[in-house]
Amino acid sequence: MSRPLIIAVDGPAAAGKGTLARRLAAHLGLPYLDTGLLYRATGRRVLDAGGDPANPADATAAAEALQPADLDRGDLRGPPADAAASQVAAIPGVRAALLDFQRRFGQAHGAVLDGRDIGTVVFPGAQVKLFVTASPEERARRRHAELAARGAAPPLEQVAAEMAARDARDSARDVAPLRPAPDAVTLDTSALDAEAAFAAALRIVESSGFR
């Protein structure tokens, strides 16, 4: 019996990987998981308890207590959640607590999962691996527009600085750093709208033999 199809979609924030992964999942009839929400929800649980997202004990306890309902919170986006997620994601205990959840999700029926270490750590054997990226300027512009649509946008320069700091933390951490898997296909969406990015990603999936 063939193993379930796993599509790993990795990349930095605001590169378009979430929109792309959701569309691929819908098109292919696969479950979808935004793994970043696991870390955002963990960070929020730490903040709710008055703890420090960078403290291993606080963060690991929050990850171990995470409930599915935590992923439905309305405050998992924006600078505070971004920063807390990046901090807790650097803690080995947090990653260990959330790794099993992600693997169980994908192994059940196959899935499209987006995050930062799906192709390198969570599912290194994924049949299809995409690393979705874009220029820092374009990513900052997209994130700023997203925040503005919610009526809570700080200055563009602040958004760019916060994203640069998060990129540095995510890329330099010892545990599961942000980087493309050796066999991942890089998709630069700087000059692509959502439709063009989806078409390009679908071509990559189909060229791998999966439709």
Side-chain angles (χ1 to χ4, degrees), residues 24-25 29 31 41 44 47 54-55 59 68 73 80 98 102 124 141 154 161 175-176 194 203:
L24 282 174
R44 274 295 179 189
L47 295 175
N55 180 281
R73 291 179 57 149
L98 300 179
Q102 297 172 72
R141 186 196 67 76
V175 180
R203 286 194 295 271

Side-chain angles (χ1 to χ4, degrees), residues 128-172:
V128 181
K129 298 179 185 178
L130 298 174
F131 190 83
V132 183
T133 189
S135 69
E137 296 79 12
E138 177 61 16
R139 291 170 48 226
R141 186 196 67 76
R142 292 174 184 175
R143 178 51 54 84
H144 184 264
E146 176 187 330
L147 293 172
R150 297 180 191 150
L156 177 60
E157 295 77 9
Q158 179 181 334
V159 173
E162 289 170 346
M163 292 187 71
R166 183 178 183 189
D167 287 349
R169 287 195 302 269
D170 289 352
S171 299

Side-chain angles (χ1 to χ4, degrees), residues 42-192:
T42 296
R44 274 295 179 189
R45 286 188 69 106
V46 175
L47 295 175
D48 289 349
D52 178 2
N55 180 281
D58 291 347
T60 301
E64 291 173 343
L66 198 68
Q67 300 297 317
D70 289 321
L71 304 183
D72 296 327
R73 291 179 57 149
D75 57 356
L76 299 183
R77 302 289 180 184
D82 290 350
S86 184
Q87 289 174 305
V88 302
I91 296 170
V94 170
R95 305 200 75 88
L98 300 179
L99 182 59
D100 285 345
F101 180 97
Q102 297 172 72
R103 286 180 171 165
R104 286 195 305 270
F105 183 93
Q107 288 167 345
H109 305 289
V112 179
L113 302 94
D114 83 67
R116 283 169 171 71
D117 65 342
I118 308 303
T120 54
V121 175
V122 182
F123 282 106
Q127 295 95 323
V128 181
K129 298 179 185 178
L130 298 174
F131 190 83
V132 183
T133 189
S135 69
E137 296 79 12
E138 177 61 16
R139 291 170 48 226
R141 186 196 67 76
R142 292 174 184 175
R143 178 51 54 84
H144 184 264
E146 176 187 330
L147 293 172
R150 297 180 191 150
L156 177 60
E157 295 77 9
Q158 179 181 334
V159 173
E162 289 170 346
M163 292 187 71
R166 183 178 183 189
D167 287 349
R169 287 195 302 269
D170 289 352
S171 299
R173 67 192 181 207
D174 293 332
V175 180
L178 170 65
R179 66 168 186 263
D183 53 347
V185 178
T186 296
L187 177 59
D188 190 325
T189 67
S190 299
L192 303 179

